[in-house]
Amino acid sequence: MATPNLPQPPPEGEWVHTYLKLLPQWQLLALSHQSMIPISISRVNQFDAARLDIEMSAMLKEQLVKVFSLVKPGMLFQYEPELDAFLEFLIWRFSIWVDKPTPGNALMDLRYRDERAMESRGKVRTGLEGPGLTIAQKIWYCIATVGGQYTWARLQSFSAFRRWGDSEQRPLARRAWVLIQRIEGLYKVASFGNLLVFLYTGRFRNLIERVLKARLVYGSPNMNRAVSFEYMNRQLVWNEFSEMLLLLLPLLNSSSVKKILSPFSKDKSSSSKVDDDTCPICQAIPAIPFLALPCQHSVAEIPECVSPRPPLKSVFFFFFFPAGRYCYYCLRTRCAAASSFRCPRCGEPVVAMQRHAGLAGNTNPNQ
């Protein structure tokens, strides 16, 4: 029985030659000097990886600060640059130094590749091949990221503490301050230019990676990036809801809301005795009870600033609402904060206060 003729697999580099044949002429001329296939790495992935690394460092810093929560307050503030440098060194030591991706790069399926070695390579298959960073690149990366950021932070704090910018008698300090500002300005301009180039080419998201030729490529070509906006939607909804509450809560009157909801209380009769003995503001039993005037007392207890003849509404609340006692601090602070403070029990404006059982005279709470 004759065996059927099976098709032979194409040569190893055949698809590379086919890719080059299908390119336009102008792109073929641009790629004639190299045998690499240009690959496109998602710019969003690279920015997300950098942001995740920053969040990871912030989480580690928060946990480390909690360890020293019982130490002298403010002690870690003066050593904050050293703390940040230590955490950045830990992340570098257990990721880049041992040829592993950082936490953010691992979540985005990215790794560092030595782009200088790829420029001299021959045949490639996926465009993602290539060795990792060399030892020299790793060391320079640590010096630039960890040491550079720490040195710059300390230099800025030292110059600001010494007031180099305000020193007129010391021209050397003034020149050093101007030099620092110019270096910072040049770095920001160079970073902005590198950002524009990165958005166009998708290579080297910062100046350190461009100088060291450390490019981010996919660690696994078959792994897809799972995009889910569920968490983002929940976060946006919660932020908008919290902002709306922060806008509306100061406009609401708590006493009016309690007055509206009081008829719907289930155990109003059983808790009336407890409510009479507790402060309606803090819900605690007052150590030195005071009474709000004029809503809770007769005509004789109304101060001189109030008319000696109480209005009909005050008399009505006197008979139908039990006399309530307040804490001195609660009543005084509420009246000082709002000149038109109303009694939470009846809604009458509070114009004076009196110690319970008549042990003290009337007091104007706004004084």
Side-chain angles (χ1 to χ4, degrees):
M1 184 176 179
T3 58
N5 294 328
L6 298 176
Q8 297 294 329
E12 181 179 354
E14 183 63 25
W15 78 284
V16 178
H17 298 294
T18 305
Y19 170 79
L20 296 176
K21 290 179 182 179
L22 296 177
L23 282 178
Q25 189 67 25
W26 64 275
Q27 291 187 5
L28 185 61
L29 293 176
L31 296 175
S32 59
H33 66 283
Q34 60 182 1
S35 59
M36 281 198 313
I37 298 177
I39 57 174
S40 178
I41 307 299
S42 174
R43 297 160 179 80
V44 178
N45 281 25
Q46 301 183 56
F47 278 128
D48 287 348
R51 186 61 187 175
L52 288 172
D53 288 336
I54 295 175
E55 295 292 338
M56 179 62 67
S57 179
M59 292 174 59
L60 293 177
K61 182 179 179 180
E62 182 181 359
Q63 297 299 324
L64 190 59
V65 169
K66 287 182 179 180
V67 176
F68 299 94
S69 59
L70 300 179
V71 188
K72 180 181 178 181
M75 188 189 71
L76 290 180
F77 178 76
Q78 55 183 342
Y79 299 107
E80 187 174 1
E82 286 78 7
L83 182 61
D84 295 336
F86 174 71
L87 295 177
E88 292 293 338
F89 176 79
L90 286 181
I91 295 177
W92 171 86
R93 171 61 181 82
F94 294 101
S95 59
I96 297 178
W97 178 251
V98 293
D99 293 326
K100 291 183 179 180
T102 60
N105 292 342
L107 291 175
M108 294 292 107
D109 186 33
L110 298 173
R111 70 177 183 89
Y112 277 114
R113 183 180 74 179
D114 186 5
E115 199 69 7
R116 298 175 302 176
M118 292 301 300
E119 294 177 356
S120 60
R121 286 176 63 90
K123 296 180 180 180
V124 293
R125 294 190 60 84
T126 63
L128 300 177
E129 297 90 354
L133 303 182
T134 62
I135 297 179
Q137 286 177 313
K138 297 175 184 177
I139 294 177
W140 281 112
Y141 186 90
C142 178
I143 294 175
T145 55
V146 181
Q149 293 180 4
Y150 167 72
T151 304
W152 186 254
R154 270 303 178 192
L155 181 61
Q156 282 189 326
S157 62
F158 181 78
S159 60
F161 179 75
R162 295 290 182 177
R163 297 183 178 180
W164 287 359
D166 301 336
S167 177
E168 297 294 341
Q169 293 99 10
R170 297 162 54 187
L172 182 60
R174 181 65 181 177
R175 292 176 184 176
W177 175 261
V178 173
L179 180 61
I180 291 174
Q181 299 300 317
R182 290 182 179 178
I183 292 176
E184 185 178 6
L186 292 175
Y187 178 79
K188 290 181 178 179
V189 171
S191 299
F192 180 72
N194 180 81
L195 175 62
L196 297 179
V197 176
F198 170 77
L199 294 177
Y200 180 75
T201 62
R203 303 171 59 183
F204 311 119
R205 61 187 176 182
N206 54 50
L207 293 175
I208 298 175
E209 295 178 358
R210 186 171 296 276
V211 172
L212 297 178
K213 294 293 182 180
R215 185 185 180 186
L216 286 173
V217 295
Y218 291 120
S220 175
N222 300 323
M223 183 179 294
N224 296 325
R225 179 175 183 261
V227 181
S228 176
F229 297 102
E230 181 180 359
Y231 174 77
M232 185 182 298
N233 292 336
R234 291 201 306 265
Q235 193 71 14
L236 289 175
V237 170
W238 173 249
N239 288 340
E240 294 298 329
F241 182 70
S242 60
E243 290 180 1
M244 183 183 67
L245 290 180
L246 292 177
L247 178 64
L248 295 180
L249 286 179
L251 304 178
L252 298 178
N253 191 347
S254 59
S255 60
S256 301
V257 175
K258 290 181 180 179
K259 182 180 178 182
I260 295 175
L261 299 178
S262 59
F264 303 97
S265 179
K266 296 181 180 179
D267 53 350
K268 183 177 180 181
S269 58
S270 61
S271 60
S272 59
K273 182 62 171 63
V274 180
D275 293 339
D276 296 343
D277 296 336
T278 59
C279 174
I281 299 177
C282 65
Q283 302 299 325
I285 299 178
I288 304 178
F290 271 74
L291 301 176
L293 301 179
C295 62
Q296 300 291 343
H297 299 90
S298 61
V299 180
E301 294 173 333
I302 300 176
E304 298 178 358
C305 59
V306 183
S307 173
R309 182 178 181 181
L312 181 62
K313 187 177 180 181
S314 300
V315 178
F316 172 80
F317 280 111
F318 170 74
F319 286 105
F320 289 96
F321 283 87
R325 295 182 293 181
Y326 293 84
C327 298
Y328 173 79
Y329 177 79
C330 296
L331 188 58
R332 174 56 65 91
T333 52
R334 290 299 178 93
C335 292
S339 58
S340 60
F341 175 70
R342 295 177 177 271
C343 177
R345 299 181 181 274
C346 60
E348 243 345 86
V350 178
V351 297
M353 53 191 298
Q354 183 186 42
R355 190 166 182 175
H356 187 60
L359 296 179
N362 300 337
T363 305
N364 191 341
N366 296 322
Q367 292 180 353

